[in-house]
PDB file of all heavy atoms in Angstrom:
ATOM      1  N   VAL A  30       0.857  -1.187   0.000  1.00 98.00           N
ATOM      2  CA  VAL A  30       0.000   0.000   0.000  1.00 98.00           C
ATOM      3  C   VAL A  30       0.895   1.238   0.000  1.00 98.00           C
ATOM      4  O   VAL A  30       1.819   1.330   0.806  1.00 98.00           O
ATOM      5  CB  VAL A  30      -0.933   0.022   1.232  1.00 98.00           C
ATOM      6  CG1 VAL A  30      -1.833   1.249   1.204  1.00 98.00           C
ATOM      7  CG2 VAL A  30      -1.749  -1.257   1.326  1.00 98.00           C
ATOM      8  N   LEU A  31       0.612   2.155  -0.907  1.00 97.00           N
ATOM      9  CA  LEU A  31       1.355   3.412  -1.009  1.00 97.00           C
ATOM     10  C   LEU A  31       0.348   4.550  -0.964  1.00 97.00           C
ATOM     11  O   LEU A  31      -0.610   4.560  -1.750  1.00 97.00           O
ATOM     12  CB  LEU A  31       2.122   3.488  -2.331  1.00 97.00           C
ATOM     13  CG  LEU A  31       3.130   2.391  -2.630  1.00 97.00           C
ATOM     14  CD1 LEU A  31       2.496   1.266  -3.405  1.00 97.00           C
ATOM     15  CD2 LEU A  31       4.302   2.951  -3.386  1.00 97.00           C
ATOM     16  N   ASP A  32       0.522   5.493  -0.063  1.00 96.00           N
ATOM     17  CA  ASP A  32      -0.449   6.583   0.076  1.00 96.00           C
ATOM     18  C   ASP A  32       0.128   7.908  -0.404  1.00 96.00           C
ATOM     19  O   ASP A  32       1.223   7.958  -0.943  1.00 96.00           O
ATOM     20  CB  ASP A  32      -0.953   6.681   1.513  1.00 96.00           C
ATOM     21  CG  ASP A  32       0.111   7.166   2.488  1.00 96.00           C
ATOM     22  OD1 ASP A  32       1.317   7.113   2.166  1.00 96.00           O
ATOM     23  OD2 ASP A  32      -0.266   7.589   3.591  1.00 96.00           O
ATOM     24  N   ASP A  33      -0.664   8.957  -0.198  1.00 94.00           N
ATOM     25  CA  ASP A  33      -0.267  10.336  -0.482  1.00 94.00           C
ATOM     26  C   ASP A  33      -0.136  10.661  -1.967  1.00 94.00           C
ATOM     27  O   ASP A  33       0.704  11.467  -2.357  1.00 94.00           O
ATOM     28  CB  ASP A  33       1.031  10.707   0.242  1.00 94.00           C
ATOM     29  CG  ASP A  33       0.904  10.623   1.751  1.00 94.00           C
ATOM     30  OD1 ASP A  33      -0.217  10.840   2.259  1.00 94.00           O
ATOM     31  OD2 ASP A  33       1.914  10.327   2.426  1.00 94.00           O
ATOM     32  N   PHE A  34      -0.978  10.071  -2.784  1.00 95.00           N
ATOM     33  CA  PHE A  34      -1.027  10.437  -4.194  1.00 95.00           C
ATOM     34  C   PHE A  34      -2.192  11.391  -4.414  1.00 95.00           C
ATOM     35  O   PHE A  34      -3.201  11.332  -3.707  1.00 95.00           O
ATOM     36  CB  PHE A  34      -1.208   9.204  -5.082  1.00 95.00           C
ATOM     37  CG  PHE A  34       0.032   8.350  -5.155  1.00 95.00           C
ATOM     38  CD1 PHE A  34       0.213   7.291  -4.278  1.00 95.00           C
ATOM     39  CD2 PHE A  34       1.011   8.613  -6.097  1.00 95.00           C
ATOM     40  CE1 PHE A  34       1.355   6.508  -4.327  1.00 95.00           C
ATOM     41  CE2 PHE A  34       2.162   7.833  -6.154  1.00 95.00           C
ATOM     42  CZ  PHE A  34       2.329   6.781  -5.275  1.00 95.00           C
ATOM     43  N   THR A  35      -2.045  12.245  -5.411  1.00 95.00           N
ATOM     44  CA  THR A  35      -3.135  13.103  -5.857  1.00 95.00           C
ATOM     45  C   THR A  35      -3.785  12.383  -7.028  1.00 95.00           C
ATOM     46  O   THR A  35      -3.081  11.964  -7.949  1.00 95.00           O
ATOM     47  CB  THR A  35      -2.598  14.475  -6.301  1.00 95.00           C
ATOM     48  OG1 THR A  35      -1.939  15.076  -5.186  1.00 95.00           O
ATOM     49  CG2 THR A  35      -3.717  15.380  -6.773  1.00 95.00           C
ATOM     50  N   PRO A  36      -5.103  12.213  -7.008  1.00 95.00           N
ATOM     51  CA  PRO A  36      -5.748  11.475  -8.097  1.00 95.00           C
ATOM     52  C   PRO A  36      -5.391  12.046  -9.470  1.00 95.00           C
ATOM     53  O   PRO A  36      -5.239  13.257  -9.637  1.00 95.00           O
ATOM     54  CB  PRO A  36      -7.245  11.648  -7.812  1.00 95.00           C
ATOM     55  CG  PRO A  36      -7.313  11.880  -6.344  1.00 95.00           C
ATOM     56  CD  PRO A  36      -6.077  12.680  -6.020  1.00 95.00           C
ATOM     57  N   SER A  37      -5.230  11.152 -10.430  1.00 94.00           N
ATOM     58  CA  SER A  37      -4.931  11.550 -11.807  1.00 94.00           C
ATOM     59  C   SER A  37      -5.907  10.826 -12.723  1.00 94.00           C
ATOM     60  O   SER A  37      -6.098   9.622 -12.600  1.00 94.00           O
ATOM     61  CB  SER A  37      -3.492  11.167 -12.175  1.00 94.00           C
ATOM     62  OG  SER A  37      -3.242  11.434 -13.537  1.00 94.00           O
ATOM     63  N   SER A  38      -6.503  11.561 -13.641  1.00 91.00           N
ATOM     64  CA  SER A  38      -7.463  10.957 -14.576  1.00 91.00           C
ATOM     65  C   SER A  38      -6.856  10.782 -15.963  1.00 91.00           C
ATOM     66  O   SER A  38      -7.568  10.498 -16.919  1.00 91.00           O
ATOM     67  CB  SER A  38      -8.727  11.808 -14.646  1.00 91.00           C
ATOM     68  OG  SER A  38      -8.394  13.103 -15.106  1.00 91.00           O
ATOM     69  N   THR A  39      -5.544  10.959 -16.093  1.00 94.00           N
ATOM     70  CA  THR A  39      -4.894  10.849 -17.391  1.00 94.00           C
ATOM     71  C   THR A  39      -4.016   9.603 -17.452  1.00 94.00           C
ATOM     72  O   THR A  39      -3.659   9.021 -16.430  1.00 94.00           O
ATOM     73  CB  THR A  39      -4.003  12.075 -17.664  1.00 94.00           C
ATOM     74  OG1 THR A  39      -2.948  12.118 -16.697  1.00 94.00           O
ATOM     75  CG2 THR A  39      -4.800  13.365 -17.609  1.00 94.00           C
ATOM     76  N   TRP A  40      -3.698   9.212 -18.699  1.00 96.00           N
ATOM     77  CA  TRP A  40      -2.702   8.162 -18.891  1.00 96.00           C
ATOM     78  C   TRP A  40      -1.667   8.684 -19.862  1.00 96.00           C
ATOM     79  O   TRP A  40      -2.033   9.150 -20.935  1.00 96.00           O
ATOM     80  CB  TRP A  40      -3.312   6.864 -19.419  1.00 96.00           C
ATOM     81  CG  TRP A  40      -2.260   5.787 -19.406  1.00 96.00           C
ATOM     82  CD1 TRP A  40      -1.528   5.348 -20.476  1.00 96.00           C
ATOM     83  CD2 TRP A  40      -1.784   5.091 -18.267  1.00 96.00           C
ATOM     84  NE1 TRP A  40      -0.638   4.401 -20.063  1.00 96.00           N
ATOM     85  CE2 TRP A  40      -0.764   4.225 -18.705  1.00 96.00           C
ATOM     86  CE3 TRP A  40      -2.102   5.104 -16.905  1.00 96.00           C
ATOM     87  CZ2 TRP A  40      -0.065   3.380 -17.846  1.00 96.00           C
ATOM     88  CZ3 TRP A  40      -1.416   4.272 -16.054  1.00 96.00           C
ATOM     89  CH2 TRP A  40      -0.416   3.414 -16.523  1.00 96.00           C
ATOM     90  N   PRO A  41      -0.426   8.633 -19.509  1.00 96.00           N
ATOM     91  CA  PRO A  41       0.069   8.160 -18.229  1.00 96.00           C
ATOM     92  C   PRO A  41      -0.327   9.105 -17.099  1.00 96.00           C
ATOM     93  O   PRO A  41      -0.631  10.267 -17.354  1.00 96.00           O
ATOM     94  CB  PRO A  41       1.588   8.124 -18.425  1.00 96.00           C
ATOM     95  CG  PRO A  41       1.864   9.101 -19.523  1.00 96.00           C
ATOM     96  CD  PRO A  41       0.647   9.095 -20.405  1.00 96.00           C
ATOM     97  N   PRO A  42      -0.299   8.599 -15.860  1.00 95.00           N
ATOM     98  CA  PRO A  42      -0.698   9.454 -14.732  1.00 95.00           C
ATOM     99  C   PRO A  42       0.257  10.637 -14.582  1.00 95.00           C
ATOM    100  O   PRO A  42       1.457  10.497 -14.797  1.00 95.00           O
ATOM    101  CB  PRO A  42      -0.623   8.519 -13.523  1.00 95.00           C
ATOM    102  CG  PRO A  42       0.271   7.398 -13.939  1.00 95.00           C
ATOM    103  CD  PRO A  42       0.145   7.277 -15.427  1.00 95.00           C
ATOM    104  N   THR A  43      -0.315  11.772 -14.239  1.00 94.00           N
ATOM    105  CA  THR A  43       0.497  12.978 -14.082  1.00 94.00           C
ATOM    106  C   THR A  43       0.299  13.583 -12.699  1.00 94.00           C
ATOM    107  O   THR A  43      -0.711  13.353 -12.044  1.00 94.00           O
ATOM    108  CB  THR A  43       0.135  14.033 -15.143  1.00 94.00           C
ATOM    109  OG1 THR A  43      -1.251  14.365 -15.004  1.00 94.00           O
ATOM    110  CG2 THR A  43       0.429  13.541 -16.544  1.00 94.00           C
ATOM    111  N   PHE A  44       1.285  14.362 -12.307  1.00 95.00           N
ATOM    112  CA  PHE A  44       1.209  15.158 -11.081  1.00 95.00           C
ATOM    113  C   PHE A  44       1.909  16.466 -11.376  1.00 95.00           C
ATOM    114  O   PHE A  44       3.046  16.473 -11.838  1.00 95.00           O
ATOM    115  CB  PHE A  44       1.853  14.427  -9.905  1.00 95.00           C
ATOM    116  CG  PHE A  44       1.862  15.230  -8.639  1.00 95.00           C
ATOM    117  CD1 PHE A  44       0.669  15.529  -7.980  1.00 95.00           C
ATOM    118  CD2 PHE A  44       3.046  15.713  -8.109  1.00 95.00           C
ATOM    119  CE1 PHE A  44       0.661  16.286  -6.821  1.00 95.00           C
ATOM    120  CE2 PHE A  44       3.044  16.464  -6.943  1.00 95.00           C
ATOM    121  CZ  PHE A  44       1.858  16.754  -6.302  1.00 95.00           C
ATOM    122  N   GLN A  45       1.224  17.573 -11.140  1.00 94.00           N
ATOM    123  CA  GLN A  45       1.746  18.917 -11.389  1.00 94.00           C
ATOM    124  C   GLN A  45       2.276  19.055 -12.820  1.00 94.00           C
ATOM    125  O   GLN A  45       3.345  19.615 -13.045  1.00 94.00           O
ATOM    126  CB  GLN A  45       2.811  19.278 -10.360  1.00 94.00           C
ATOM    127  CG  GLN A  45       2.250  19.359  -8.953  1.00 94.00           C
ATOM    128  CD  GLN A  45       3.274  19.752  -7.908  1.00 94.00           C
ATOM    129  OE1 GLN A  45       4.483  19.605  -8.101  1.00 94.00           O
ATOM    130  NE2 GLN A  45       2.786  20.262  -6.795  1.00 94.00           N
ATOM    131  N   GLY A  46       1.520  18.503 -13.777  1.00 93.00           N
ATOM    132  CA  GLY A  46       1.835  18.666 -15.181  1.00 93.00           C
ATOM    133  C   GLY A  46       2.922  17.759 -15.733  1.00 93.00           C
ATOM    134  O   GLY A  46       3.277  17.872 -16.905  1.00 93.00           O
ATOM    135  N   ARG A  47       3.448  16.859 -14.913  1.00 96.00           N
ATOM    136  CA  ARG A  47       4.505  15.957 -15.370  1.00 96.00           C
ATOM    137  C   ARG A  47       4.076  14.509 -15.139  1.00 96.00           C
ATOM    138  O   ARG A  47       3.284  14.223 -14.246  1.00 96.00           O
ATOM    139  CB  ARG A  47       5.794  16.199 -14.592  1.00 96.00           C
ATOM    140  CG  ARG A  47       6.360  17.564 -14.826  1.00 96.00           C
ATOM    141  CD  ARG A  47       7.631  17.732 -14.050  1.00 96.00           C
ATOM    142  NE  ARG A  47       8.092  19.099 -14.227  1.00 96.00           N
ATOM    143  CZ  ARG A  47       9.267  19.513 -13.883  1.00 96.00           C
ATOM    144  NH1 ARG A  47      10.121  18.688 -13.349  1.00 96.00           N
ATOM    145  NH2 ARG A  47       9.608  20.759 -14.075  1.00 96.00           N
ATOM    146  N   VAL A  48       4.655  13.617 -15.919  1.00 96.00           N
ATOM    147  CA  VAL A  48       4.374  12.196 -15.717  1.00 96.00           C
ATOM    148  C   VAL A  48       4.831  11.801 -14.320  1.00 96.00           C
ATOM    149  O   VAL A  48       5.948  12.117 -13.900  1.00 96.00           O
ATOM    150  CB  VAL A  48       5.078  11.327 -16.784  1.00 96.00           C
ATOM    151  CG1 VAL A  48       4.941   9.844 -16.451  1.00 96.00           C
ATOM    152  CG2 VAL A  48       4.512  11.622 -18.155  1.00 96.00           C
ATOM    153  N   ASP A  49       3.952  11.150 -13.583  1.00 96.00           N
ATOM    154  CA  ASP A  49       4.261  10.667 -12.236  1.00 96.00           C
ATOM    155  C   ASP A  49       4.950   9.309 -12.392  1.00 96.00           C
ATOM    156  O   ASP A  49       4.305   8.269 -12.493  1.00 96.00           O
ATOM    157  CB  ASP A  49       2.971  10.539 -11.422  1.00 96.00           C
ATOM    158  CG  ASP A  49       3.215  10.161  -9.981  1.00 96.00           C
ATOM    159  OD1 ASP A  49       4.276   9.584  -9.673  1.00 96.00           O
ATOM    160  OD2 ASP A  49       2.321  10.420  -9.157  1.00 96.00           O
ATOM    161  N   THR A  50       6.280   9.333 -12.442  1.00 95.00           N
ATOM    162  CA  THR A  50       7.039   8.112 -12.731  1.00 95.00           C
ATOM    163  C   THR A  50       6.901   7.059 -11.638  1.00 95.00           C
ATOM    164  O   THR A  50       6.884   5.868 -11.934  1.00 95.00           O
ATOM    165  CB  THR A  50       8.528   8.425 -12.979  1.00 95.00           C
ATOM    166  OG1 THR A  50       9.052   9.130 -11.855  1.00 95.00           O
ATOM    167  CG2 THR A  50       8.702   9.247 -14.241  1.00 95.00           C
ATOM    168  N   THR A  51       6.774   7.482 -10.392  1.00 95.00           N
ATOM    169  CA  THR A  51       6.595   6.514  -9.312  1.00 95.00           C
ATOM    170  C   THR A  51       5.288   5.750  -9.508  1.00 95.00           C
ATOM    171  O   THR A  51       5.255   4.510  -9.490  1.00 95.00           O
ATOM    172  CB  THR A  51       6.599   7.210  -7.934  1.00 95.00           C
ATOM    173  OG1 THR A  51       7.864   7.842  -7.738  1.00 95.00           O
ATOM    174  CG2 THR A  51       6.336   6.215  -6.811  1.00 95.00           C
ATOM    175  N   ARG A  52       4.226   6.456  -9.723  1.00 95.00           N
ATOM    176  CA  ARG A  52       2.923   5.823  -9.927  1.00 95.00           C
ATOM    177  C   ARG A  52       2.947   4.959 -11.192  1.00 95.00           C
ATOM    178  O   ARG A  52       2.429   3.843 -11.191  1.00 95.00           O
ATOM    179  CB  ARG A  52       1.842   6.901 -10.011  1.00 95.00           C
ATOM    180  CG  ARG A  52       0.459   6.350 -10.003  1.00 95.00           C
ATOM    181  CD  ARG A  52      -0.634   7.398  -9.938  1.00 95.00           C
ATOM    182  NE  ARG A  52      -0.209   8.766  -9.765  1.00 95.00           N
ATOM    183  CZ  ARG A  52      -0.980   9.737  -9.319  1.00 95.00           C
ATOM    184  NH1 ARG A  52      -2.240   9.492  -9.001  1.00 95.00           N
ATOM    185  NH2 ARG A  52      -0.544  10.961  -9.201  1.00 95.00           N
ATOM    186  N   LEU A  53       3.543   5.461 -12.253  1.00 96.00           N
ATOM    187  CA  LEU A  53       3.613   4.723 -13.503  1.00 96.00           C
ATOM    188  C   LEU A  53       4.354   3.398 -13.325  1.00 96.00           C
ATOM    189  O   LEU A  53       3.920   2.355 -13.828  1.00 96.00           O
ATOM    190  CB  LEU A  53       4.295   5.574 -14.581  1.00 96.00           C
ATOM    191  CG  LEU A  53       4.336   4.992 -15.983  1.00 96.00           C
ATOM    192  CD1 LEU A  53       2.924   4.769 -16.527  1.00 96.00           C
ATOM    193  CD2 LEU A  53       5.136   5.908 -16.907  1.00 96.00           C
ATOM    194  N   GLN A  54       5.470   3.422 -12.580  1.00 96.00           N
ATOM    195  CA  GLN A  54       6.219   2.182 -12.326  1.00 96.00           C
ATOM    196  C   GLN A  54       5.336   1.139 -11.642  1.00 96.00           C
ATOM    197  O   GLN A  54       5.336  -0.024 -12.027  1.00 96.00           O
ATOM    198  CB  GLN A  54       7.429   2.458 -11.423  1.00 96.00           C
ATOM    199  CG  GLN A  54       8.593   3.077 -12.098  1.00 96.00           C
ATOM    200  CD  GLN A  54       9.723   3.285 -11.111  1.00 96.00           C
ATOM    201  OE1 GLN A  54       9.506   3.510  -9.916  1.00 96.00           O
ATOM    202  NE2 GLN A  54      10.951   3.221 -11.598  1.00 96.00           N
ATOM    203  N   TRP A  55       4.604   1.566 -10.624  1.00 97.00           N
ATOM    204  CA  TRP A  55       3.772   0.629  -9.875  1.00 97.00           C
ATOM    205  C   TRP A  55       2.611   0.105 -10.715  1.00 97.00           C
ATOM    206  O   TRP A  55       2.280  -1.074 -10.650  1.00 97.00           O
ATOM    207  CB  TRP A  55       3.254   1.289  -8.589  1.00 97.00           C
ATOM    208  CG  TRP A  55       4.283   1.264  -7.519  1.00 97.00           C
ATOM    209  CD1 TRP A  55       5.140   2.272  -7.173  1.00 97.00           C
ATOM    210  CD2 TRP A  55       4.599   0.166  -6.677  1.00 97.00           C
ATOM    211  NE1 TRP A  55       5.969   1.871  -6.167  1.00 97.00           N
ATOM    212  CE2 TRP A  55       5.652   0.572  -5.826  1.00 97.00           C
ATOM    213  CE3 TRP A  55       4.094  -1.122  -6.543  1.00 97.00           C
ATOM    214  CZ2 TRP A  55       6.211  -0.267  -4.871  1.00 97.00           C
ATOM    215  CZ3 TRP A  55       4.645  -1.959  -5.590  1.00 97.00           C
ATOM    216  CH2 TRP A  55       5.693  -1.527  -4.766  1.00 97.00           C
ATOM    217  N   LEU A  56       2.016   0.963 -11.500  1.00 97.00           N
ATOM    218  CA  LEU A  56       0.847   0.558 -12.284  1.00 97.00           C
ATOM    219  C   LEU A  56       1.205  -0.351 -13.458  1.00 97.00           C
ATOM    220  O   LEU A  56       0.333  -1.040 -13.980  1.00 97.00           O
ATOM    221  CB  LEU A  56       0.094   1.789 -12.781  1.00 97.00           C
ATOM    222  CG  LEU A  56      -0.638   2.589 -11.696  1.00 97.00           C
ATOM    223  CD1 LEU A  56      -1.100   3.937 -12.237  1.00 97.00           C
ATOM    224  CD2 LEU A  56      -1.815   1.801 -11.140  1.00 97.00           C
ATOM    225  N   THR A  57       2.461  -0.368 -13.849  1.00 98.00           N
ATOM    226  CA  THR A  57       2.850  -1.163 -15.025  1.00 98.00           C
ATOM    227  C   THR A  57       3.800  -2.315 -14.714  1.00 98.00           C
ATOM    228  O   THR A  57       4.142  -3.079 -15.618  1.00 98.00           O
ATOM    229  CB  THR A  57       3.501  -0.256 -16.095  1.00 98.00           C
ATOM    230  OG1 THR A  57       4.660   0.375 -15.541  1.00 98.00           O
ATOM    231  CG2 THR A  57       2.511   0.785 -16.604  1.00 98.00           C
ATOM    232  N   ASP A  58       4.236  -2.468 -13.485  1.00 98.00           N
ATOM    233  CA  ASP A  58       5.176  -3.540 -13.163  1.00 98.00           C
ATOM    234  C   ASP A  58       4.482  -4.897 -13.270  1.00 98.00           C
ATOM    235  O   ASP A  58       3.457  -5.118 -12.606  1.00 98.00           O
ATOM    236  CB  ASP A  58       5.747  -3.345 -11.752  1.00 98.00           C
ATOM    237  CG  ASP A  58       6.905  -4.278 -11.501  1.00 98.00           C
ATOM    238  OD1 ASP A  58       6.675  -5.493 -11.356  1.00 98.00           O
ATOM    239  OD2 ASP A  58       8.050  -3.796 -11.463  1.00 98.00           O
ATOM    240  N   PRO A  59       5.018  -5.819 -14.054  1.00 98.00           N
ATOM    241  CA  PRO A  59       4.350  -7.115 -14.257  1.00 98.00           C
ATOM    242  C   PRO A  59       4.349  -8.027 -13.028  1.00 98.00           C
ATOM    243  O   PRO A  59       3.590  -8.998 -12.994  1.00 98.00           O
ATOM    244  CB  PRO A  59       5.142  -7.739 -15.410  1.00 98.00           C
ATOM    245  CG  PRO A  59       6.487  -7.086 -15.363  1.00 98.00           C
ATOM    246  CD  PRO A  59       6.245  -5.694 -14.849  1.00 98.00           C
ATOM    247  N   ARG A  60       5.143  -7.721 -12.027  1.00 98.00           N
ATOM    248  CA  ARG A  60       5.160  -8.550 -10.809  1.00 98.00           C
ATOM    249  C   ARG A  60       4.002  -8.243  -9.883  1.00 98.00           C
ATOM    250  O   ARG A  60       3.752  -8.982  -8.924  1.00 98.00           O
ATOM    251  CB  ARG A  60       6.485  -8.355 -10.059  1.00 98.00           C
ATOM    252  CG  ARG A  60       7.693  -8.859 -10.823  1.00 98.00           C
ATOM    253  CD  ARG A  60       8.956  -8.385 -10.209  1.00 98.00           C
ATOM    254  NE  ARG A  60       9.050  -6.929 -10.399  1.00 98.00           N
ATOM    255  CZ  ARG A  60      10.105  -6.211 -10.052  1.00 98.00           C
ATOM    256  NH1 ARG A  60      11.149  -6.787  -9.489  1.00 98.00           N
ATOM    257  NH2 ARG A  60      10.129  -4.905 -10.254  1.00 98.00           N
ATOM    258  N   PHE A  61       3.301  -7.145 -10.154  1.00 98.00           N
ATOM    259  CA  PHE A  61       2.206  -6.717  -9.296  1.00 98.00           C
ATOM    260  C   PHE A  61       0.947  -6.452 -10.116  1.00 98.00           C
ATOM    261  O   PHE A  61       1.026  -6.024 -11.257  1.00 98.00           O
ATOM    262  CB  PHE A  61       2.576  -5.415  -8.556  1.00 98.00           C
ATOM    263  CG  PHE A  61       3.629  -5.581  -7.515  1.00 98.00           C
ATOM    264  CD1 PHE A  61       4.975  -5.427  -7.836  1.00 98.00           C
ATOM    265  CD2 PHE A  61       3.286  -5.896  -6.214  1.00 98.00           C
ATOM    266  CE1 PHE A  61       5.956  -5.583  -6.869  1.00 98.00           C
ATOM    267  CE2 PHE A  61       4.262  -6.052  -5.243  1.00 98.00           C
ATOM    268  CZ  PHE A  61       5.596  -5.903  -5.572  1.00 98.00           C
ATOM    269  N   VAL A  62      -0.176  -6.674  -9.499  1.00 98.00           N
ATOM    270  CA  VAL A  62      -1.453  -6.193 -10.025  1.00 98.00           C
ATOM    271  C   VAL A  62      -1.776  -4.989  -9.155  1.00 98.00           C
ATOM    272  O   VAL A  62      -1.984  -5.137  -7.945  1.00 98.00           O
ATOM    273  CB  VAL A  62      -2.558  -7.264  -9.921  1.00 98.00           C
ATOM    274  CG1 VAL A  62      -3.885  -6.692 -10.386  1.00 98.00           C
ATOM    275  CG2 VAL A  62      -2.174  -8.493 -10.717  1.00 98.00           C
ATOM    276  N   THR A  63      -1.784  -3.811  -9.758  1.00 98.00           N
ATOM    277  CA  THR A  63      -1.895  -2.568  -8.999  1.00 98.00           C
ATOM    278  C   THR A  63      -3.097  -1.769  -9.453  1.00 98.00           C
ATOM    279  O   THR A  63      -3.375  -1.675 -10.645  1.00 98.00           O
ATOM    280  CB  THR A  63      -0.617  -1.718  -9.169  1.00 98.00           C
ATOM    281  OG1 THR A  63       0.515  -2.499  -8.793  1.00 98.00           O
ATOM    282  CG2 THR A  63      -0.671  -0.457  -8.324  1.00 98.00           C
ATOM    283  N   THR A  64      -3.770  -1.182  -8.479  1.00 97.00           N
ATOM    284  CA  THR A  64      -4.876  -0.282  -8.787  1.00 97.00           C
ATOM    285  C   THR A  64      -4.748   0.967  -7.929  1.00 97.00           C
ATOM    286  O   THR A  64      -4.136   0.933  -6.853  1.00 97.00           O
ATOM    287  CB  THR A  64      -6.244  -0.967  -8.565  1.00 97.00           C
ATOM    288  OG1 THR A  64      -7.269  -0.136  -9.088  1.00 97.00           O
ATOM    289  CG2 THR A  64      -6.506  -1.232  -7.085  1.00 97.00           C
ATOM    290  N   GLU A  65      -5.310   2.043  -8.432  1.00 97.00           N
ATOM    291  CA  GLU A  65      -5.341   3.293  -7.686  1.00 97.00           C
ATOM    292  C   GLU A  65      -6.755   3.490  -7.158  1.00 97.00           C
ATOM    293  O   GLU A  65      -7.721   3.355  -7.905  1.00 97.00           O
ATOM    294  CB  GLU A  65      -4.951   4.455  -8.588  1.00 97.00           C
ATOM    295  CG  GLU A  65      -4.892   5.785  -7.872  1.00 97.00           C
ATOM    296  CD  GLU A  65      -4.293   6.882  -8.741  1.00 97.00           C
ATOM    297  OE1 GLU A  65      -3.836   6.605  -9.863  1.00 97.00           O
ATOM    298  OE2 GLU A  65      -4.292   8.030  -8.270  1.00 97.00           O
ATOM    299  N   VAL A  66      -6.864   3.777  -5.878  1.00 97.00           N
ATOM    300  CA  VAL A  66      -8.161   3.943  -5.228  1.00 97.00           C
ATOM    301  C   VAL A  66      -8.223   5.335  -4.619  1.00 97.00           C
ATOM    302  O   VAL A  66      -7.340   5.725  -3.848  1.00 97.00           O
ATOM    303  CB  VAL A  66      -8.354   2.878  -4.115  1.00 97.00           C
ATOM    304  CG1 VAL A  66      -9.658   3.091  -3.382  1.00 97.00           C
ATOM    305  CG2 VAL A  66      -8.266   1.480  -4.697  1.00 97.00           C
TER     306      VAL A  66
END
């Protein structure tokens, strides 16, 4: 569980106008099934 994200409705996910690389890594890593809630 990772907290403190600002919701993003775009793909790839963005934060403050830039790609949120941390979130992108988690959402696309094949070792995990990840969802944002």
Side-chain angles (χ1 to χ4, degrees):
V30 181
L31 302 92
D32 69 342
D33 298 330
F34 288 93
T35 300
S37 175
S38 61
T39 64
W40 188 260
T43 59
F44 177 68
Q45 296 182 339
R47 296 181 184 192
V48 172
D49 185 337
T50 56
T51 298
R52 189 174 354 200
L53 185 61
Q54 282 181 329
W55 279 98
L56 290 168
T57 60
D58 191 288
R60 294 167 292 185
F61 290 90
V62 176
T63 305
T64 190
E65 183 171 355
V66 177

